[in-house]
């Protein structure tokens, strides 16, 4: 999709998230999976797919095991028989009866009373003290008015590490509400998963954390998906979350199934219908019908609903009006004053300035490092080429320059390991420590040959 820059290395299978709550089908106790390398995985099989199975271990974590690596699989017969393996993709036209009941698409916008219910101690204290709600706005990507001066890549300028470090600054300033202002065209899948965990496990327990969307495409839509509250800017858009490999080929098979499962869990964390994100990830239809009494929406993975949200053969991107219509967004706001009114905050004050400045400085600094990396990479390639064609002292001088550039690149990757994936395309390789070692050995060989 346009603007999408998501990448996933083959190592993602080994680093695959241990998803919680994937309970499709029947569970069996004391199941045993023997791998071809001799390892044995014991637990409860909670999901079977054509290419992999998911086993819940004794500690509650879950492990994805590729069928290609399985030598034998034994299930506990005392508690039941497994369901047949599911196909790699869901049927394109499920019946309406098969899709309901579904969880509510989104929670009611927490006004002061609703917020107090969610965080009784914190909000009750605020209401008794009478003080204004303290609000911080953290930029998830450079706002539009920066006019493209800084890059917007998830995993480079947008970092889970930076958002994690900002928490202490927010707490020091007694922040109540964190607004994550999103403007990004996507980035790295591995960083998307880390950001989900930071938002769900660290932000949500401490702050009322909401997303405010200018533009959220691919990984930028997926990373904050765990937040319950989404608000749109008037021209905001969110979606187009198709998964790509490093070569910008669409992911298929086990890689696609893994990211679909990851986003199902993200939807559950946000108490949001899983079908919405699924339609953003693959070309699958989506329709909806509203209950006249409750005004809640029920979604279907076909075109049988009253409202067609996404047609077959398209990948969903929600505009602000459509997001509001189906209840995904709790409202539209052009500025912070409007956003606070929509959120039900009657009196607020800006807070968390240090955290805001920290996030913005991180984006500018990493953007500068990325651009410098690309410059240094070009100089390294030219110096290496010149060294191969030179002799004697001239070759030694070129090798020396190339070594300087190589070491600068190595330091940049050490500062941000995501560069190894994102910028490896410059050399058609993943910039691992082994790659740097091999390049240095090659330069040393050139130097010896030229003497």
């Amino acid at each position: 999709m346009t603007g999408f820059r998501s990448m996933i290395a083959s190592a993602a299978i080994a680093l695959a998230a241990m998803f919680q709550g994937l309970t499709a089908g029947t569970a069996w106790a004391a199941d045993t999976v023997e791998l071809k390398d001799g390892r044995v995985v014991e637990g409860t099989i909670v999901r079977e797919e054509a290419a992999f199975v998911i086993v819940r271990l004794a500690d509650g974590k879950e492990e994805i095991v590729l069928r290609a690596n399985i030598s034998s699989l034994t299930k506990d017969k005392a508690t039941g028989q497994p369901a047949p393996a599911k196909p790699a993709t869901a049927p394109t036209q499920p019946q309406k009866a098969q899709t309901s009941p579904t969880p509510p698409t989104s929670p009611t916008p927490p006004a002061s009373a609703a917020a107090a219910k969610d965080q009784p101690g914190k909000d009750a204290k605020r209401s008794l003290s009478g003080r204004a709600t303290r609000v911080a706005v953290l930029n998830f990507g450079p706002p539009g008015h920066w006019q493209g001066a800084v890059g917007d890549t998830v995993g480079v300028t947008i970092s889970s590490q930076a958002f994690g470090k900002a928490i202490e600054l927010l707490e020091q300033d007694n922040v109540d509400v964190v607004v994550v202002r999103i403007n990004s065209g996507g980035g790295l899948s591995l960083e998307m998963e880390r950001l989900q965990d930071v938002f769900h496990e660290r932000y949500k327990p401490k702050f009322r954390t909401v997303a405010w969307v200018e533009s959220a495409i691919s990984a930028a839509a997926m990373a904050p998906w765990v937040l319950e509250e989404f608000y749109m800017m008037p021209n905001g858009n969110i979606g187009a979350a198709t998964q790509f490999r490093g070569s910008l080929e669409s992911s298929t098979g086990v890689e696609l199934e893994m990211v679909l499962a990851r986003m199902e869990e993200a939807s559950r964390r946000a108490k949001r219908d899983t079908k919405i994100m699924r339609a953003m990830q693959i070309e699958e239809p989506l329709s909806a019908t509203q209950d006249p009494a409750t005004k809640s929406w029920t979604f279907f993975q076909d075109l049988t609903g009253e409202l067609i949200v996404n047609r077959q053969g398209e990948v969903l991107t929600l505009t602000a009006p459509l997001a509001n219509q189906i209840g995904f967004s709790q409202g539209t706001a052009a500025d912070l004053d409007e956003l606070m009114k929509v959120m039900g905050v009657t009196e607020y004050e800006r807070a968390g300035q240090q955290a805001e400045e920290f996030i913005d400085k991180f984006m500018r600094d990493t953007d500068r490092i990325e651009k410098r990396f690309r410059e240094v990479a070009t100089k390294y390639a030219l110096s290496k080429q010149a060294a191969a064609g030179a002799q004697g002292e001239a070759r030694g001088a070129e090798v020396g320059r190339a070594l300087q550039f190589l070491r600068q690149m190595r330091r940049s990757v050490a500062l941000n390991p995501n560069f190894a994936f994102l910028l490896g395309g410059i050399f058609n390789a993943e910039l691992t420590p082994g790659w740097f070692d091999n390049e240095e050995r090659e330069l040393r060989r050139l130097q010896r040959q030229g003497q």
Side-chain angles (χ1 to χ4, degrees):
M1 300 301 296
T2 302
F4 183 80
R5 293 171 292 180
S6 176
M7 304 175 66
I8 181 166
S10 59
I13 294 177
L15 298 173
M18 297 180 183
F19 308 131
Q20 300 294 324
L22 298 177
T23 57
T26 306
W28 303 271
D31 301 329
T32 302
V33 180
E34 296 185 12
L35 305 183
K36 294 177 181 178
D37 63 4
R39 192 165 67 92
V40 176
V41 179
E42 292 185 331
T44 302
I45 295 176
V46 294
R47 180 164 176 166
E48 289 196 81
E49 298 290 350
F52 65 92
V53 298
I54 298 177
V55 182
R56 181 175 296 127
L57 307 179
D59 61 3
K61 295 182 178 179
E62 295 181 2
E63 180 170 344
I64 294 177
V65 183
L66 301 182
R67 287 193 181 274
N69 297 334
I70 297 175
S71 61
S72 68
L73 190 154
T74 305
K75 303 180 182 69
D76 180 11
K77 296 182 180 180
T79 54
Q81 296 296 323
K86 296 181 180 179
T89 56
T92 57
Q93 293 291 333
Q95 297 299 313
K96 185 179 296 187
Q98 295 174 320
T99 62
S100 54
T102 58
T105 303
S106 54
T108 303
S112 56
K117 182 179 180 181
D118 290 337
Q119 299 176 335
K122 190 173 187 179
D123 288 304
K125 181 178 178 181
R126 181 189 310 148
S127 114
L128 289 173
S129 67
R131 71 172 175 85
T133 301
R134 296 176 64 76
V135 180
V137 180
L138 302 185
N139 287 321
F140 188 100
H145 65 262
W146 287 21
Q147 299 183 338
V150 173
D152 65 358
T153 305
V154 174
V156 180
T157 52
I158 303 168
S159 163
S160 59
Q161 182 182 30
F163 273 90
K165 289 183 177 180
I167 292 174
E168 182 179 354
L169 299 175
L170 294 166
E171 289 182 313
Q172 289 174 358
D173 206 18
N174 296 316
V175 168
D176 302 303
V177 174
V178 174
V179 176
V180 182
R181 187 190 190 282
I182 305 170
N183 188 39
S184 168
L188 297 176
S189 297
L190 291 176
E191 192 68 15
M192 171 270 290
E193 296 177 5
R194 299 182 190 121
L195 281 160
Q196 285 182 357
D197 291 340
V198 168
F199 287 138
H200 183 69
E201 297 171 5
R202 302 181 63 189
Y203 271 78
K204 288 165 62 173
K206 297 176 183 292
F207 318 103
R208 179 182 174 186
T209 309
V210 308
W212 187 25
V213 178
E214 182 174 0
S215 181
I217 301 300
S218 74
M222 299 160 81
W225 197 258
V226 294
L227 301 178
E228 283 89 343
E229 292 182 74
F230 270 77
Y231 300 87
M232 305 293 288
M233 295 186 182
N235 294 320
N237 58 84
I238 181 170
T242 304
Q243 180 76 14
F244 283 85
R245 302 170 184 263
S247 59
L248 295 185
E249 297 177 355
S250 297
S251 293
T252 57
V254 66
E255 289 181 351
L256 177 60
E257 288 294 337
M258 286 164 55
V259 78
L260 289 172
R262 176 75 190 193
M263 293 313 299
E264 285 179 11
E265 173 61 14
S267 294
R268 279 188 281 269
R269 284 174 161 185
K271 305 177 183 66
R272 184 174 296 120
D273 195 297
T274 61
K275 302 181 194 69
I276 301 173
M277 172 50 69
R278 187 177 177 88
M280 293 180 175
Q281 293 179 276
I282 57 178
E283 296 178 351
E284 190 162 88
L286 182 69
S287 63
T289 297
Q290 189 177 39
D291 186 309
T294 65
K295 304 301 181 182
S296 63
W297 289 88
T298 299
F299 292 90
F300 310 101
Q301 289 177 332
D302 55 33
L303 301 179
T304 61
E306 296 174 356
L307 174 68
I308 304 303
V309 181
N310 191 59
R311 297 189 178 278
Q312 178 69 47
E314 299 178 356
V315 174
L316 176 62
T317 298
L318 292 174
T319 61
L322 183 55
N324 289 335
Q325 183 179 2
I326 65 173
F328 168 79
S329 168
Q330 281 77 45
T332 300
D335 56 40
L336 191 58
D337 284 344
E338 289 185 6
L339 179 62
M340 291 299 103
K341 290 178 182 178
V342 174
M343 289 175 59
V345 177
T346 56
E347 184 180 357
Y348 80 95
E349 59 186 0
R350 290 296 296 271
Q353 183 178 3
Q354 285 185 306
E356 294 177 356
E357 292 176 350
F358 172 78
I359 292 292
D360 289 352
K361 183 177 185 299
F362 183 91
M363 286 195 292
R364 293 188 174 98
D365 288 348
T366 52
D367 179 74
R368 184 174 63 254
I369 292 170
E370 180 192 5
K371 291 173 180 174
R372 175 62 177 162
F373 184 100
R374 295 182 185 276
E375 294 174 4
V376 170
T378 300
K379 292 178 180 178
Y380 169 70
L382 292 174
S383 294
K384 183 180 178 181
Q385 183 179 7
Q391 296 294 329
E393 293 183 1
R395 174 174 284 194
E398 290 297 342
V399 167
R401 276 191 284 272
L403 283 169
Q404 280 187 319
F405 297 137
L406 184 68
R407 288 163 185 166
Q408 288 182 46
M409 289 193 298
R410 191 193 285 264
R411 287 194 295 270
S412 295
V413 170
L415 287 172
N416 189 340
N418 289 332
F419 283 170
F421 300 107
L422 185 66
L423 303 177
I426 298 173
F427 300 98
N428 292 320
E430 183 182 334
L431 305 186
T432 62
W435 182 87
F436 283 105
D437 293 341
N438 289 335
E439 289 293 303
E440 187 161 345
R441 282 193 292 268
E442 176 67 14
L443 290 173
R444 297 297 186 191
R445 185 185 65 78
L446 286 173
Q447 189 173 37
R448 289 193 300 272
Q449 289 178 346
Q451 292 176 348

